[in-house]
Amino acid sequence: MADRWALAPAEDGGVDVAPLGPDGLPAGPVRRESDLAQAVRSRPEVTRWVWRSTAEVYPRLLATGVRVERCYDVEDAETLLLGHEGRHGEPRSAAAALARLRGGPVPPDPPHRPADRGAQSSLFEPAATHMPLQDLLEVYADQQRRHDRTTHPDRMHLLTTAESAGMLVAAEMNRAGMPWSAEVHREMLHDLLGERYAGGGEPRRLAELADEVSTAFGHRVRPDLPAEVVKAFAKAGIKVTSTRRWELRSVDHPAVEPLLEYKRLYRIWVAHGWSWLRDWVRDGRFRPEFQAGGTVTGRWVTNGGGALQIPKVIRRAVVADPGWRLVVADADQMEPRVLAAISRDPALMEVASRESDLYQSVSDRAFSGDRDQAKIAVLGAMYGQTSGDGLKNLAALRRRYPAAVAYVDDAARAGEEGRLVRTWLGRTCPPAMTSPDAAEEAGIPLDDSPAPDGGGARARGRFTRNFVVQGSAADWTLLLLAALRRACAPLAAELVFFQHDEVIVHCPAEETTQVIQAIQHASALSARLTFGDTPVRFPFTTAAVECYADAK
């Protein structure tokens, strides 16, 4: 029996399915079945489903209690392949891929569906795009050929597999939600902000702080308007260019302290206040929409809710269910370890082969034991701090770890010259962006008219210098999540949060030891799969807590 099947929802509400052979071609006739969940549930031998879009299919399966082991997301693979081919920004839908393949007009991608806050009727959601299974398989077969034409076919196959796994994890996290106590959140807001006034105005504490700021200046000043605050300081004979914390801290004026406190509490009120709680927390769960591979580096994003920027004070509301725990795991010094793995620098790999403090080990070898200088040097090499003290630190780092520094230098040079730059597995950064919207979405410096000093090219070089490290780290974490998801499958444990180098698993208290061991095992397995045979280790700091805030 085939262990890989293709699946395509049909316009009549049914689903077309067909077995695939080892070559990826149909190994049997296409079958029409009336129910999606039953079509999948009745084939437990299938280990990988090939479909157009995980977002189209998997939430419907999860809603009926059906979980799949693996999938291949055709549209996600198209995004990665287009990037590798230097065609970033072209329509990436399966319909667009089919049109390109057949030489027809290429349709634009449909707009992304907004995150569901539980208030929007399905009547206003865009209709699903259906593609006949035979057309989908034509695109899939072409993608397999395009994989084989990439720089490193095995790595590219692994990348698209890992990204599809990430799509499954994101869908499951969206379904599960993050444990959240609305009661604790409300108590916290009351303690921080005071009572709310009728009409939706600022809560009591913000109003009091605004009065303190105005009193300090001697006239009415709105602290939520930066231009008005800058003008008020100027009137007091103090020149400031912004209301950023670091700049205000250097100012000696009685308005500074209440102003800084106002800014801190105002951010909480706007970003995680009562309105946020009403919109995003339902049935004891915070429900953002996680999107795997949401940026050009492969880092995840959330569509609404600000899940990746939860302030420390708000984390007190993230509370495990009774009898359960939150296993919070942070990767230790992930990006320098990734740099060691991708550069194959012998000396840096030797340092990264231990679970001890990497920065301290680097400082002992190259900076006379000065850990702070070592950390600045390593981060400067990856993020482009190559002037002033950064230049001196970089020179010291280059003497000790020449291959590592050369690796990021080469990536920066390629970016400056407008060439394609790839992660270890083949995720590709475009050379430049000509659309402001596309540049902002991707996080890439805009390709404006070149400045006389080449500033635009240098900005792209700084981005690509870090892209090879940050993007390779994102590739590795996808395989980490896939391995952890598989290890947790027999347990009650559920993945509920992920951002860059941190993952949270919600599990019964008696499963915490198994989950912690699964995280360590997944780290080692994903490192071996991603980077091959290297001595580099990726240790995690883990904590099993009842409240997220207690893990820090």
Side-chain angles (χ1 to χ4, degrees), residues 319-443:
V319 180
D321 291 345
W324 286 53
R325 298 292 183 271
L326 299 168
V327 177
V328 183
D330 282 304
D332 297 333
Q333 301 157 339
M334 178 177 68
E335 290 190 352
R337 294 175 185 276
V338 167
L339 176 58
I342 61 180
S343 68
R344 295 301 205 257
D345 187 295
L348 192 57
M349 284 196 296
E350 192 275 329
V351 168
S353 67
R354 309 189 209 99
E355 295 191 6
S356 57
D357 187 336
L358 181 144
Y359 295 125
Q360 186 60 56
S361 297
V362 170
S363 72
D364 292 342
R365 288 160 174 75
F367 294 91
S368 303
D370 189 332
R371 185 185 184 280
D372 290 341
Q373 285 295 101
K375 183 175 182 179
I376 291 171
V378 173
L379 296 179
M382 293 188 295
Y383 285 90
Q385 185 187 359
T386 55
S387 60
D389 288 341
L391 187 61
K392 181 179 67 175
N393 291 333
L394 188 62
L397 200 68
R398 183 178 283 110
R399 286 193 296 270
R400 184 69 187 185
Y401 308 106
V405 177
Y407 195 93
V408 290
D409 281 348
D410 289 346
R413 189 177 306 109
E416 290 177 5
E417 295 172 357
R419 291 184 277 132
L420 296 175
V421 179
R422 311 190 199 283
T423 66
W424 183 258
L425 291 186
R427 189 187 303 274
T428 305
C429 176
M433 304 297 290
T434 56
S435 160
D437 291 340
E440 182 179 359
E441 179 182 354

Side-chain angles (χ1 to χ4, degrees), residues 3-53:
D3 63 355
R4 183 167 33 160
W5 282 63
L7 176 157
E11 293 186 6
D12 64 1
V15 59
D16 291 330
V17 295
L20 300 178
D23 55 3
L25 298 174
V30 175
R31 307 176 192 177
R32 170 63 60 86
E33 303 199 12
S34 61
D35 182 74
L36 169 66
Q38 182 57 29
V40 174
R41 188 183 288 114
S42 64
R43 294 177 174 85
E45 77 282 0
V46 177
T47 59
R48 191 181 306 280
W49 287 93
V50 176
W51 51 46
R52 181 184 71 84
S53 167

Side-chain angles (χ1 to χ4, degrees), residues 210-491:
D211 287 342
E212 290 181 36
V213 171
S214 295
T215 299
F217 281 118
H219 58 91
R220 188 65 186 170
V221 176
R222 286 190 55 181
D224 59 323
L225 299 179
E228 194 167 313
V229 173
V230 170
K231 185 177 179 180
F233 275 117
K235 187 175 181 180
I238 298 172
K239 183 179 180 180
V240 296
T241 60
S242 72
T243 59
R244 294 185 178 92
R245 175 179 293 272
W246 65 267
E247 187 169 2
L248 292 182
R249 281 293 183 195
S250 65
V251 173
D252 182 14
H253 190 278
V256 170
E257 289 304 322
L259 181 58
L260 290 175
E261 181 65 3
Y262 179 95
K263 285 166 59 68
R264 182 181 78 89
L265 295 180
Y266 184 83
R267 281 193 294 270
I268 291 173
W269 178 52
V270 171
H272 291 92
W274 291 277
S275 295
W276 179 93
L277 184 61
R278 182 189 63 243
D279 288 342
W280 295 103
V281 177
R282 301 189 301 276
D283 303 321
R285 292 290 186 273
F286 169 34
R287 300 186 181 279
E289 181 186 357
F290 286 95
Q291 294 177 262
T295 66
V296 72
T297 63
R299 280 191 174 185
W300 286 28
V301 298
T302 56
N303 185 28
L308 304 185
Q309 295 89 32
I310 303 175
K312 289 184 178 180
V313 65
I314 299 298
R315 293 176 186 178
R316 287 161 48 196
V318 184
V319 180
D321 291 345
W324 286 53
R325 298 292 183 271
L326 299 168
V327 177
V328 183
D330 282 304
D332 297 333
Q333 301 157 339
M334 178 177 68
E335 290 190 352
R337 294 175 185 276
V338 167
L339 176 58
I342 61 180
S343 68
R344 295 301 205 257
D345 187 295
L348 192 57
M349 284 196 296
E350 192 275 329
V351 168
S353 67
R354 309 189 209 99
E355 295 191 6
S356 57
D357 187 336
L358 181 144
Y359 295 125
Q360 186 60 56
S361 297
V362 170
S363 72
D364 292 342
R365 288 160 174 75
F367 294 91
S368 303
D370 189 332
R371 185 185 184 280
D372 290 341
Q373 285 295 101
K375 183 175 182 179
I376 291 171
V378 173
L379 296 179
M382 293 188 295
Y383 285 90
Q385 185 187 359
T386 55
S387 60
D389 288 341
L391 187 61
K392 181 179 67 175
N393 291 333
L394 188 62
L397 200 68
R398 183 178 283 110
R399 286 193 296 270
R400 184 69 187 185
Y401 308 106
V405 177
Y407 195 93
V408 290
D409 281 348
D410 289 346
R413 189 177 306 109
E416 290 177 5
E417 295 172 357
R419 291 184 277 132
L420 296 175
V421 179
R422 311 190 199 283
T423 66
W424 183 258
L425 291 186
R427 189 187 303 274
T428 305
C429 176
M433 304 297 290
T434 56
S435 160
D437 291 340
E440 182 179 359
E441 179 182 354
I444 302 173
L446 182 64
D447 186 25
D448 290 326
S449 299
D453 63 354
R458 282 204 301 272
R460 288 195 299 278
R462 284 194 299 272
F463 184 86
T464 52
R465 172 184 291 275
N466 182 245
F467 172 82
V468 292
V469 180
Q470 187 184 116
S472 296
D475 297 347
W476 166 68
T477 54
L478 282 172
L479 288 164
L480 169 82
L481 289 173
L484 182 57
R485 172 181 181 263
R486 188 171 186 179
C488 290
L491 307 176

